[in-house]
Amino acid sequence: MRIRYLSLAVALGLLLVATASSTAGQPADARPIAEYTLPPDTLEKAEALYYTGMAMFVVGNVYGLVLLVAILAGRVAPRLRDLAERASRRRFVQALVFVPLLTLTLDVLSLPLSLYGHYLQLSYGLSVQGWGSWFWDWTKGEMVGLVIATPLFWGLYAFLRRSPTRWWLYGWLASIPVVLLLVLIGPVFIDPIFNTYAPLEERQPQLVSPIEQVMARGGVSIERARMFEMQASDKVTTYNAYVTGIGASKRVVVWDNTARDLSVPETMFVFAHEQAHYVLNHVWWSLAAITSLLLGLLYLAYRLIGGVLAKYGARWGIRALDDWASLPAIMLLLSVFSLGAQPIMANFTRALEHQADIYGLEALHGLVPDSSQAAAHAFQKLGEKGLSYPDPNPLYVFWVYTHPPVKERLRFALEYRPWETGEGTRYIAPAVSGAY
């Protein structure tokens, strides 16, 4: 688990609503599903991975905070600041020296946790990515991150120097267009650095007509040019699909693993779920929530950083708030606040995912013989392939999970049948009689 530029860039790590599962051309599984279950050997692996993941969550967060404290106590940042100031008197050049050095120091020291995380993925069969490929992705991630983080922190410290009492507000205002720009260009310029994409119509033509039926059912239109298949099978074995981008870069992405292993009805449900993120404006709601949270985090940092530096600044070799060496102290505060705010974002995104599940069920009804079973089979395959533990601790779910547990999602898919009880649907009018 790497520590990464947690000030203004805290927004960038939370950006999009991810979801799960999609696509194929095989016949649907005729076996009825009544609940989410795992075979004994798979359940044993899922349980072991679940508890290991919980331990990694705790260790990773504690390690990240301890690492920042150690950086401060060891006066690492003042040494890097001195190097930057010897390089140039110009602040932007200093940022070009200081920010990459500090970021790489933190990320390299955090590398053991990242390595262990990939080792776990390989051990449990969730990843097939070789170490050389993994390190290359890590390196590319560092380079992309530095290109983003360096001007962000240079701008933040420019506000710190010019407005010691309003820097948090101006920094937040400046972050909004940056976040929007990254969401806009990410699918076009950043994502292809790490993965290969191809038009869905070329790779999975048998899915195009069913997907268009789902779109027509919801009264929306997403051009075929915005549907892509991602080659995930050379790195992972799991299933996924997601919506990303805004405006001209908005698109739906389906992993090739998903297209290979899910039936057409299951794929239609997953696509309907993804379509919901378009129709219900979840990307915009997510951006609004993230930027609002960022404003709160920056304000809290502003309120507390003065007292922290008054007490410990001299010991840590920090001359003033606008000293480059204060950055680890700001990052430490933001890390603590982000950890405390994590349940807020987790609960928010779970609510969006639940809305998308409802929309998907309503959109699929009338298009396939049993929409509830199609959705249930999709969730079963998703959970089984991803080793999703059936009974996670409610507190852990509350604090960490960005999606409802698979067991809950599958149960809801089987129970949500408003068209049979005379209740009103929430997002899509009931299918006309004569459909399935």
Side-chain angles (χ1 to χ4, degrees):
M1 179 179 294
R2 284 181 283 174
I3 300 172
R4 192 180 283 284
Y5 359 100
L6 255 155
S7 76
L8 296 179
V10 70
L12 309 180
L14 298 169
L15 276 177
L16 294 180
V17 181
T19 62
S21 295
S22 163
T23 230
Q26 314 136 5
D29 189 345
R31 175 178 57 91
I33 291 182
E35 62 178 340
Y36 174 61
T37 59
L38 296 176
D41 57 335
T42 305
L43 177 61
E44 183 178 355
K45 292 172 64 176
E47 184 176 17
L49 182 61
Y50 165 74
Y51 284 111
T52 302
M54 281 205 303
M56 286 289 291
F57 171 75
V58 175
V59 171
N61 280 288
V62 171
Y63 181 81
L65 297 176
V66 170
L67 179 56
L68 286 169
V69 171
I71 291 288
L72 289 165
R75 295 194 173 201
V76 174
R79 295 188 182 94
L80 300 180
R81 172 203 62 205
D82 293 343
L83 285 174
E85 290 179 344
R86 285 197 294 270
S88 176
R89 298 182 63 181
R90 297 175 62 87
R91 294 285 292 183
F92 185 72
V93 176
Q94 292 174 5
L96 290 176
V97 176
F98 179 81
V99 174
L101 287 176
L102 178 63
T103 300
L104 289 172
T105 298
L106 291 169
D107 287 350
V108 169
L109 291 174
S110 300
L111 190 55
L113 288 177
S114 299
L115 293 171
Y116 183 66
H118 185 58
Y119 165 77
L120 283 177
Q121 295 287 304
L122 290 171
S123 299
Y124 283 90
L126 302 179
S127 174
V128 293
Q129 185 178 19
W131 285 104
S133 172
W134 185 90
F135 269 110
W136 178 228
D137 276 354
W138 183 87
T139 302
K140 289 186 289 187
E142 293 298 303
M143 292 187 290
V144 170
L146 290 176
V147 169
I148 296 171
T150 301
L152 279 176
F153 284 121
W154 170 75
L156 176 65
Y157 274 79
F159 292 128
L160 277 167
R161 290 170 67 86
R162 288 169 173 77
S163 181
T165 61
R166 291 288 184 271
W167 61 268
W168 57 275
L169 178 60
Y170 299 144
W172 174 74
L173 290 172
S175 75
I176 295 176
V178 174
V179 169
L180 292 174
L181 177 64
L182 288 174
V183 176
L184 176 66
I185 69 173
V188 179
F189 297 105
I190 298 178
D191 293 352
I193 295 175
F194 302 93
N195 295 290
T196 301
Y197 298 84
L200 188 65
E201 187 175 15
E202 293 180 6
R203 300 299 297 271
Q204 304 292 337
Q206 79 281 3
L207 294 177
V208 174
S209 178
I211 284 176
E212 289 178 335
Q213 289 179 353
V214 174
M215 290 192 292
R217 180 75 178 84
V220 298
S221 176
I222 300 175
E223 308 92 294
R224 294 182 179 183
R226 295 190 182 191
M227 304 176 194
F228 292 88
E229 180 190 74
M230 189 186 93
Q231 183 178 325
S233 56
D234 57 350
K235 295 182 180 181
V236 298
T237 62
T238 50
Y239 309 137
N240 198 15
Y242 58 90
V243 62
T244 185
I246 56 175
S249 70
K250 187 184 292 185
R251 60 196 59 198
V252 167
V253 177
V254 178
W255 288 6
D256 61 341
N257 295 339
T258 315
R260 180 192 64 214
D261 294 345
L262 268 66
S263 70
V264 170
E266 293 158 5
T267 299
M268 292 169 70
F269 168 72
V270 175
F271 182 83
H273 175 106
E274 295 306 320
Q275 180 174 296
H277 291 308
Y278 279 111
V279 177
L280 304 181
N281 295 312
H282 285 171
V283 172
W284 292 107
W285 280 109
S286 297
L287 288 173
I290 290 163
T291 53
S292 298
L293 178 61
L294 178 59
L295 176 62
L297 297 181
L298 288 172
Y299 178 73
L300 287 174
Y302 157 72
R303 295 290 297 178
L304 294 180
I305 190 64
V308 170
L309 294 185
K311 187 172 184 178
Y312 299 107
R315 185 186 309 176
W316 292 340
I318 301 173
R319 297 188 296 236
L321 177 58
D322 62 357
D323 179 5
W324 292 115
S326 70
L327 182 54
I330 296 175
M331 293 174 70
L332 178 61
L333 291 176
L334 289 171
S335 296
V336 173
F337 301 149
S338 296
L339 181 60
Q342 185 167 339
I344 299 174
M345 287 304 301
N347 281 270
F348 175 75
T349 56
R350 281 201 307 275
L352 297 188
E353 294 301 330
H354 183 60
Q355 289 180 3
D357 285 346
I358 295 172
Y359 182 99
L361 289 164
E362 293 180 356
L364 198 61
H365 176 62
L367 297 181
V368 299
D370 192 334
S371 56
S372 295
Q373 280 294 317
H377 277 92
F379 286 134
Q380 176 66 36
K381 289 182 179 180
L382 169 68
E384 193 166 340
K385 178 64 73 172
L387 296 178
S388 296
Y389 185 55
D391 299 302
N393 183 283
L395 178 60
Y396 189 57
V397 172
F398 172 79
W399 204 278
V400 176
Y401 275 38
T402 57
H403 291 62
V406 173
K407 187 174 184 178
E408 294 181 10
R409 299 177 78 183
L410 192 153
R411 181 185 299 120
F412 181 82
L414 295 175
E415 294 174 350
Y416 185 72
R417 295 171 173 268
W419 37 84
E420 294 181 357
T421 61
E423 301 175 32
T425 53
R426 300 192 193 180
Y427 303 114
I428 298 179
V432 297
S433 56
Y436 276 116

